[in-house]
Amino acid sequence: LSFVCELKEVAPRAIRGHVERIMATCGLKDVAGRLVGHLSKGYRQRVGIAQALCGDPPILVLDEPTVGLDPRQVVEIRSLIRELGKSHTVIFSSHLLPEIQQLCQRVIILHRGKMVREADMTALTETEGMLRLHAAIAMGRKELLPALQSLPCVQRVKALPGSTKEVTEVLLECDPAASPDAHTQLFSLL
């Protein structure tokens, strides 16, 4: 951690205190004298988060921080991330919906490297009961999108990149409550 602080140009006089604060924050004081390679997966994750904290950056980027951890370690790392979120902007990737629901205030959903949805967590969870469909449809974009948008049940439709003149790839949300025969409308159009 001292070496990472040097790389991030923390003032030499401040490194010792900075490292001590980071170790306390990340729960590393008990293993301070051990080699990183001899630590459990959970502690190695904590060391990675501690390295990210060196230099006190305003934004932390974490990639799947709980993958491969046992249930107790997952709870501890989630708690640490929640605590860090009070003083930092934390951006992390995860494919685990419960983790996202517990930790996030705002969500961006990516599909093949492209953003397909951005919303706050309450807006995403309020859409329960929505029928979501990812489809490749043998129809040109110019004809398909207006036809889908004209259906009473369709709340949102987005054409994805990679579509051709003959086939359009779409993500759509359909609210079955908006129309009792939503499934019939949707699939008779398709």
Side-chain angles (χ1 to χ4, degrees):
L1 293 177
S2 295
F3 175 68
V4 174
C5 285
E6 289 176 28
L7 291 176
K8 293 187 176 183
E9 299 179 351
V10 174
R13 291 187 315 254
I15 289 177
R16 185 179 179 133
H18 190 62
V19 168
E20 286 179 13
R21 280 190 306 280
I22 290 170
M23 288 178 61
T25 299
C26 294
L28 293 170
K29 287 200 173 221
D30 294 342
V31 295
R34 293 178 53 195
L35 294 173
V36 174
H38 295 168
L39 298 176
S40 69
K41 172 82 169 154
Y43 275 110
R44 286 195 309 268
Q45 289 289 80
R46 288 172 187 257
V47 170
I49 293 171
Q51 288 175 329
L53 287 169
C54 290
D56 200 26
I59 299 172
L60 297 173
V61 180
L62 307 174
D63 183 21
E64 305 251 3
T66 61
V67 168
L69 302 181
D70 67 40
R72 181 185 56 81
Q73 292 169 331
V74 168
V75 169
E76 291 171 354
I77 293 295
R78 285 179 183 168
S79 176
L80 174 59
I81 292 169
R82 201 174 293 111
E83 192 62 33
L84 292 172
K86 294 177 182 176
S87 56
H88 298 80
T89 298
V90 179
I91 300 171
F92 77 97
S93 66
S94 179
H95 62 280
L96 302 172
L97 185 57
E99 184 165 78
I100 294 166
Q101 289 174 320
Q102 287 180 23
L103 296 173
C104 295
Q105 296 171 347
R106 190 141 193 85
V107 177
I108 296 173
I109 299 172
L110 302 175
H111 176 71
R112 295 183 181 167
K114 304 284 184 191
M115 184 177 72
V116 295
R117 181 86 191 265
E118 179 182 3
D120 64 14
M121 185 52 76
T122 55
L124 283 178
T125 56
E126 287 174 358
T127 61
E128 287 185 23
M130 235 3 131
L131 171 65
R132 290 180 182 84
L133 182 66
H134 174 196
I137 302 167
M139 186 183 287
R141 179 185 298 215
K142 288 183 180 180
E143 303 85 36
L144 178 64
L145 294 182
L148 285 172
Q149 291 166 339
S150 72
L151 295 174
C153 69
V154 173
Q155 302 296 308
R156 191 170 174 276
V157 63
K158 178 173 180 152
L160 297 174
S163 301
T164 65
K165 286 185 179 182
E166 300 83 29
V167 176
T168 305
E169 202 172 332
V170 294
L171 287 175
L172 64 92
E173 290 181 0
C174 184
D175 183 3
S179 182
D181 62 341
H183 289 85
T184 305
Q185 287 177 23
L186 186 60
F187 289 103
S188 63
L189 173 68
L190 300 178

